[in-house]
Amino acid sequence: MRKTLLIALALGASAIPASLSAQQAVTAVPVLTGTRLDVSATGEVTRVPDLAIISAGVQTLQPTATAAIEENAAKMDRVRAALRRAGIEDKDIQTSSINLNPEYQYDQNRPPRLTGYRASNTVNVKFRDLKRTGAILDALVAEGANTINGPNLTIDKPESALDEARAKAIANGRARAELYARALRMQVVRLLSVSESGGYAVPPPMPMVMMAQERGAAADTKIDPGTQQLQVSISMSFELR
């Protein structure tokens, strides 16, 4: 019994230095003794858009719902085939809406009269070769697409550009802190915190919205990609003395 007690005491004693060592490894954050300065900063870079997204669809009007849906489906099959012939991959074609609505004629002092059904089917299409915009739109119109909206121009993989904007935002934040410190006849001692409120691309104006009714209506259509701004906003806190 005494031997067991001695072993337990020895084990307990051996654990004490480890516990003290763990406590000593924790370093306390220095208490703020100067003036806290909070600043906001933005970093911005410019890129040429390399991805266009358009919305293309077919609207059909027939006396019956079945006829409207069948005609619409046949035309949409031709539209999808035209996109594939133009080199658009299936992963870049996504259905965005399918609708069927009754059409009524409204005459004065008479109840509405059903005249038919309108079916619509719309897909979002991504394409990266902006120089081929005219050819792609012409192919869509030729195969029955009578509603085309867009394009929405964007950056396909913006992370590297956003990282560059982040570095600029931090540099701008530090420069602003130094400016305040000089104006106050103080010095920046240390950075207390930094947080990002978000990175985003400033959308350019929509350059084209069209309804195409005849073959060749969009044959000469071209997209001027221009440039797009990507921004990152951050908040930084400094200690001044």
Side-chain angles (χ1 to χ4, degrees):
M1 180 66 179
R2 182 179 180 183
K3 183 177 180 181
T4 301
L5 180 60
L6 290 174
I7 293 174
L9 289 173
L11 290 174
S14 64
I16 292 175
S19 176
L20 290 174
S21 177
Q23 292 177 3
Q24 292 172 356
V26 177
T27 303
V29 177
V31 178
L32 180 67
T33 58
T35 300
R36 180 187 176 109
L37 171 67
D38 298 324
V39 300
S40 298
T42 300
E44 183 177 287
V45 296
T46 301
R47 293 289 187 273
V48 176
D50 56 3
L51 179 67
I53 303 174
I54 65 171
S55 173
V58 172
Q59 291 189 15
T60 55
L61 180 62
Q62 291 293 335
T64 67
T66 300
I69 292 174
E70 289 178 349
E71 182 186 11
N72 190 277
K75 288 186 175 181
M76 279 304 298
D77 284 343
R78 295 200 299 269
V79 167
R80 290 189 177 89
L83 288 171
R84 295 186 180 97
R85 287 195 302 271
I88 307 299
E89 300 181 21
D90 288 344
K91 67 178 182 178
D92 290 331
I93 304 172
Q94 183 182 50
T95 299
S96 61
S97 67
I98 297 176
N99 295 289
L100 177 67
N101 297 298
E103 292 280 319
Y104 293 95
Q105 180 176 328
Y106 296 90
D107 297 323
Q108 189 173 6
N109 299 324
R110 292 184 179 181
R113 181 169 60 89
L114 179 66
T115 58
Y117 290 86
R118 184 180 300 274
S120 63
N121 192 332
T122 306
V123 293
N124 289 332
V125 184
K126 296 179 182 179
F127 56 96
R128 295 167 176 81
D129 188 357
L130 303 188
K131 295 179 181 179
R132 300 188 61 232
T133 301
I136 293 174
L137 295 179
D138 186 42
L140 291 174
V141 174
E143 295 300 334
N146 51 22
T147 304
I148 297 176
N149 296 283
N152 178 24
L153 302 178
T154 186
I155 309 298
D156 188 19
K157 298 179 180 179
E159 275 308 312
S160 61
L162 289 173
D163 285 345
E164 184 179 337
R166 290 181 178 102
K168 288 187 175 182
I170 291 175
N172 291 339
R174 287 187 176 276
R176 189 164 299 172
E178 293 288 349
L179 176 64
Y180 277 109
R182 289 194 299 271
L184 295 169
R185 296 183 180 180
M186 303 176 75
Q187 290 185 339
V188 177
V189 177
R190 61 187 172 118
L191 173 66
L192 299 174
S193 67
V194 59
S195 62
E196 180 180 316
S197 57
Y200 61 95
V202 180
M206 189 75 72
M208 177 184 64
V209 177
M210 59 176 289
M211 291 287 292
Q213 297 294 342
E214 299 178 0
R215 177 178 174 84
D220 296 326
T221 301
K222 292 181 175 61
I223 291 179
D224 297 319
T227 58
Q228 191 169 24
Q229 295 176 337
L230 295 96
Q231 295 180 349
V232 171
S233 298
I234 63 171
S235 298
M236 305 178 74
S237 295
F238 297 88
E239 182 180 356
L240 307 182
R241 289 181 194 167

